[in-house]
Amino acid sequence: MKTSYSYTDTLHGVGRKGIIRSWTRFTLGFLLLLAGTLTVHADFFVAPGGSDENPGTEEKPFVTLERARDAVREMKRNGALPKEGLTVWLRGGDYPRTNAFELTAEDSGTPEAPIVWQARGDERVRLLGGRIITGFQPIKDETVRGRLSEAARDQVVVADLRAQGIQDYGTLRPRGFGRSGVAHGELFFGGRPMTLARWPNGGEWDHIAGFPQEGSQDDGHGTVMGALANGFFYESDRPARWKNTGDIWIHGYWAYDWANSYERIAELDPARHFVRTAEPYGNYGFNKKQRICFLNILEELDEPGEWFLDKPTGQLYFWPPSPLEKGEALFSQIEQPLVKTSGASHVTLRGLVFEATRASAIEIQGGENIRVAGCLLRNIGNTGISVNGGRNHGIQSCDIFDTGDGGVSLTGGDRQTLTPGGHFVENCHFQRQARWSKCYAPAISLTGVGLRASHNLIHDHPHAGILFWGNDHLIEFNDIHHVALETGDVGAIYTGRDYTFRGNRIRHNYIHETGGVGMGSMGVYMDDCVSGTEVFGNVFYKAHWAMFIGGG
C-alpha cells in the first residue's frame, strides 16, 4: 500500500484533503528537476526559438517536434541509437499545433533503449491546440448592446477573431449519451473553460411541461412519454426575449437522469412554449418535469465567465470573470489529438502540458509500453487520453482537468481468451471531467481484460468516476468524492448489463460525499445482472448507498 498524504489544490482552490495517495508525484517531480542538471547522452533538443536547420544540440536546437522525430529515425536507421535509449529534451515555451504530432512503429524504442520526449528540468512545455486571443474592446455596437441585459452591457467585451486570422470556429454538433465526436471551438480563460451563454445559468434548469399527444406512448412502467419527432412544451416565458433563434441549442435529460444530449433546435415557438429538435434527436423520448437548458444565445450572456461567438462576423463576446490582463484567453482550434501514436512501442511522454484541442489530447493505438508520466492535460474538447489495443500502456502521475468527455479510456486484452491487456492508470488527479457529455464519460474507463486503475484521486464529476466493462480488472486505492453531481441512478464505480463480466476486483477504495438526483447514487453499482465481482475493504462515507447489486 502506498503512503497516504494530504494535498491542497491551490491552483483551483479546492482545498480538499486526499487520502490513499502516493509519493510518486513527489519523486517524479524531484527527478524532473534533477534531470535539468544531469549530463545527458547523445540526445536531441527542441526549443521554440530554434531552427530545423540546426543540428538539434542544446546550443543549436530544432524548432519542431517533427524534425526531432526525423532525427531519431535517422539515428535508428544508422544503427546509432544509444544502448541506454535516447531523450528528446523540449525547452520551455509553447509549441502550437495545427495537426497531430504522430509517432509510428518507426519511432519505437526497445525495452532496453526507450525513446523519451521530456520537458527540460522544470521548464513549462506546452503543446497547444488553440490560439491566444487579444484585442478585447468595450462593445460600441448599439444593436448588440441593446440585446444584452443592462447589467452586462458595460461588462462584456468583444474581440474580432477574423482580424486575428481565425476563421475556423468549429460547428456545434449533437453530443451526449451514446454519441461521440470532435467538439467545437471553445473559449478558455485563466486556465479554465468558459461557459457558452446559456439560460438558465449554471445550476438552474427549465423543465419539460408536456408534449403533443400524437405519437406519445407508455414507457412500459406506467409513464406516458412524448415522441422525439413531435417535440415538447417548456415552462418558462424567457425565450420570448431572444431576437435570433437560428443557432440556439438545447441540452436536456429528456427522459431519465442518466441520459443527456445536446440538440439543435429546429423549431422554437415562444407563443406556444414549444420546441422541436432537429434530427438525430435525443434518447428515449420526453418525460414531464425533466431538466433542460438553452445555450448559444447572445441575450443570455449575463454573468461572468460566459461567452458567445457571432460566427457570420467573427465577433467573440465575453464577460471576463477577472481582469483580462490577469489571465490568458485561448480559443481551441485543431480537431485532432495533440499527440497520436500508431503501433509505437517503448516511448515515454514526460512532464509536458497538453491544452486546448477540440479533440482528445493523446491517442494511443496498438504498440506496447507507452508511458505518459507527470503530464498536465487540461481544457480538452473530448477525452484526455484514449488507449486502444496494444499491451502494457501506462498513465502515471498526471493531472487531467476539464475534459469535454472522459479523462482516460483504456481498451485492451482479449475476452475470448481472457488474455490481459496490461494497461493501467495510477496516481493521477482527475477533476471536472465530462464538461459536455455528462453521462457515461467517466474519469477512468476500463474495457477488455486485465486492466488496472489504482491510487487515483477523482472528484467534481457529473456522473460516474470509474466505469469498467469486461473481466479481471483491478480497481484499488482510489479516492473518489463529489461525483454524481448532476445525474441519478449512477455509481461512483459502475458496470452493468453482462453477467460474463467476472473476475473483477474492487478493493480498498475511499468513496465519499457523493451526489445524485432522482434515484440518487451508489458507491459501487453492479447493475443488471453483473456477476462474479469481488468488492472488499472499501470505505464508504456520506454516500446514498454503499453497494448496490442489481441482480447477478
Side-chain angles (χ1 to χ4, degrees), residues 48-61:
S51 169
D52 283 349
E53 301 300 318
N54 286 341
T57 62
E58 186 165 14
E59 295 76 18
K60 295 183 178 180

Side-chain angles (χ1 to χ4, degrees), residues 71-92:
V72 174
R73 289 177 177 178
E74 183 177 358
M75 178 177 283
K76 289 181 62 179
R77 284 194 296 268
N78 294 334
L81 185 69
K83 63 180 181 180
E84 303 88 359
L86 181 147
T87 299
V88 178
W89 297 95
L90 307 184
R91 303 304 303 267

Side-chain angles (χ1 to χ4, degrees), residues 43 50 55 111 220 263 305 434 466 474 515 545 552:
D43 293 338
E263 310 294 337
I466 298 177
L474 177 60
W545 288 275

Side-chain angles (χ1 to χ4, degrees), residues 5-70:
Y5 69 96
S6 297
Y7 79 97
T8 302
D9 187 350
T10 55
L11 176 63
H12 299 289
V14 174
R16 303 285 311 165
K17 288 187 175 181
I19 70 166
I20 321 175
R21 301 281 282 154
S22 78
W23 290 106
T24 303
R25 191 185 309 278
F26 170 80
T27 304
L28 178 62
F30 176 77
L31 291 175
L32 289 174
L33 290 172
L34 183 62
T37 65
L38 294 177
T39 301
V40 296
H41 53 269
D43 293 338
F44 292 113
F45 292 81
V46 185
S51 169
D52 283 349
E53 301 300 318
N54 286 341
T57 62
E58 186 165 14
E59 295 76 18
K60 295 183 178 180
F62 300 132
V63 70
T64 67
L65 304 183
E66 282 79 2
R67 179 65 185 91
R69 179 194 63 193
D70 293 345

Side-chain angles (χ1 to χ4, degrees), residues 16 480-481 510-514 539-544 546:
R16 303 285 311 165
I480 307 174
H481 67 87
Y510 179 34
I511 299 173
H512 56 111
E513 298 163 283
T514 57
V539 176
F540 301 93
Y541 173 67
K542 290 188 177 180
H544 289 189

Side-chain angles (χ1 to χ4, degrees), residues 98-115:
T98 56
N99 62 305
F101 175 57
E102 298 192 43
L103 299 172
T104 67
E106 190 177 2
D107 304 299
S108 297
T110 68
E112 299 77 21
I115 307 297

